[in-house]
Amino acid sequence: MDRSIVGTRFDAGAQYLGGALREGTGAGTFDVTSPADGSLVQTVRLASTADVDDAVAAATAAFPEWSNATPGARSEALTRLSGILAERAEDFARVESAQTGKPIKLTTEFDVPGTIDNVAFFAGAARNLEGKATGEYSGDHTSSIRREAIGVVGSISPWNYPLQMAGWKILPAIAAGNTIVLKPAELTPLTSLMFAQACTDAGIPDGVVNVVTGSGRVAGEHLVAHPDVSMVSFTGSTGVGKRVGEVAIQTVKRTHLELGGKAPFVVFDDADLDAAVHGAVAASLINTGQDCTAATRAYVQRPLYDAFVEGVAELYNLVRLGDPFNPHTDLGPLVSFRQRDSVAGFVERARGYGATIAAGGFAPDKGHDGTDLTLGAYYRPTLITGVTQDAEVVQGEIFGPVLVVLPFDSDEEGLRLANDTPYGLAASAWTRDLYRSLRATREIQAGCVWVNDHIPIISEMPHGGYKASGYGKDMSQYSLDEYTQVKHVMQDITAVARKDWHRTIFGDR
């Protein structure tokens, strides 16, 4: 990987505290490498607990000014930020591809514009604090609702969408008047640091947005436990999310957890087969399957089952793996060899208990462009059939380019199977029948249910899960609301000193 993509911009350090980059003071360093070929992108010194303390102190110092700024002032700053990101869009896309291995067409057309749109949305949302109408609900008092900033937010974001997740964490928090300390995954911290710098360049005061690059065990746990952090937002695996909740409850922090997923893709027998096949390929392979909303379990009503499997397998075999910076590359590597080996392990265990591998199931040697793929963490799109509902590949979160297909007979069976995992983040139903679609959207237990599509997200609508997929919403007005304290203000309007209700406590009528 050409390091000139990153350049020397992080040579001052990978901690963004109080409006400036600085070196971490932790004991170790971490090599951010390209998963496409293993080359070094940037070496960063990790944060110590002292760095986390400094970041929280900077956020605490910035809170009074920022929380007291008018919604209009915060909106104007976010509008400027949107413009800066748009000017730097190509730079963000290239650095995101360098550290994650994402194809450049994905970062250029999805990750970066999606983040810019999020900024524009929250610039508007900052001026729209919602609540119950002011009124005389008791007859003797006027009641009103205030929405106030919570304080310092400690956020931990994952490695699969570093830029977008930085936006999802930072934007609603600061739009509502909070300040924030973000800990990105040490695998992919670079665009989060660039985002923080862009916030400063947009005129957002120093200390409002801080980034600490460190390990989960050191920086992450210290941030979650910090007594001056009032709210914790975490996106990642359900297992780690449970640990975040355990630590946060010790100081009674508000928590926001967006956790794992195992999205069902339910194809009824009246569905448009061509649309379902193409939708399944796109929905299962987005970001090399490293997406908690990606389609991972396809349930296909029996009349369409064989044709669906054949169609998906055919398209999987046409998917182009190669250099992420080649604009014709469809699928990049997984984020690391460790993640690639984890995905391969699921597939190999499935072979062991009798699964049929209808496409893929191996790490390739050469890309469509002649790239030597053995240097990177690549894995062919893999289609699995011939397993039962209790199989590991059906129940476990694989987080890679793997789709499992199972048949069903009745509508009741299809919907029951769709709900039969601990997760409930996203799902889709494929049908031409209005009543079937209404039933599916009502009965499938997930935070988002698409009909005749799977994956699109929009800034105006919420993202978040049911069950073991966590709670709390990203994006939308619902997300902004979660980063506020709701205060009821009640004012007497009678000027009566001796109120009738006092007699229930002392004296007689």
Side-chain angles (χ1 to χ4, degrees), residues 108-160:
T108 301
E109 299 179 32
F110 182 74
D111 296 68
V112 175
T115 303
I116 294 170
D117 186 69
N118 269 208
V119 178
F121 171 81
F122 280 107
R127 305 182 78 148
N128 184 41
L129 298 176
E130 295 187 343
K132 196 175 182 74
T134 297
E136 288 70 50
Y137 297 97
S138 78
D140 293 338
H141 308 81
T142 295
S143 285
S144 61
I145 293 294
R146 291 180 58 86
R147 283 194 176 272
E148 298 178 348
I150 296 170
V152 177
V153 178
S155 290
I156 299 175
S157 59
W159 46 256
N160 57 335

Side-chain angles (χ1 to χ4, degrees), residues 77-131:
L78 289 171
T79 299
R80 292 192 297 271
L81 175 61
S82 178
I84 289 170
L85 294 182
E87 292 171 0
R88 301 174 186 176
E90 182 179 356
D91 197 23
F92 272 97
R94 290 179 67 77
V95 175
E96 192 78 331
S97 289
Q99 68 176 352
T100 64
K102 293 172 185 274
I104 192 68
K105 67 177 180 179
L106 181 66
T107 57
T108 301
E109 299 179 32
F110 182 74
D111 296 68
V112 175
T115 303
I116 294 170
D117 186 69
N118 269 208
V119 178
F121 171 81
F122 280 107
R127 305 182 78 148
N128 184 41
L129 298 176
E130 295 187 343

Side-chain angles (χ1 to χ4, degrees), residues 203-227:
I204 295 172
D206 294 349
V208 172
V209 176
N210 308 275
V211 177
V212 290
T213 302
S215 71
R217 289 182 180 274
V218 176
E221 289 226 5
H222 193 66
L223 178 62
V224 172
H226 202 290

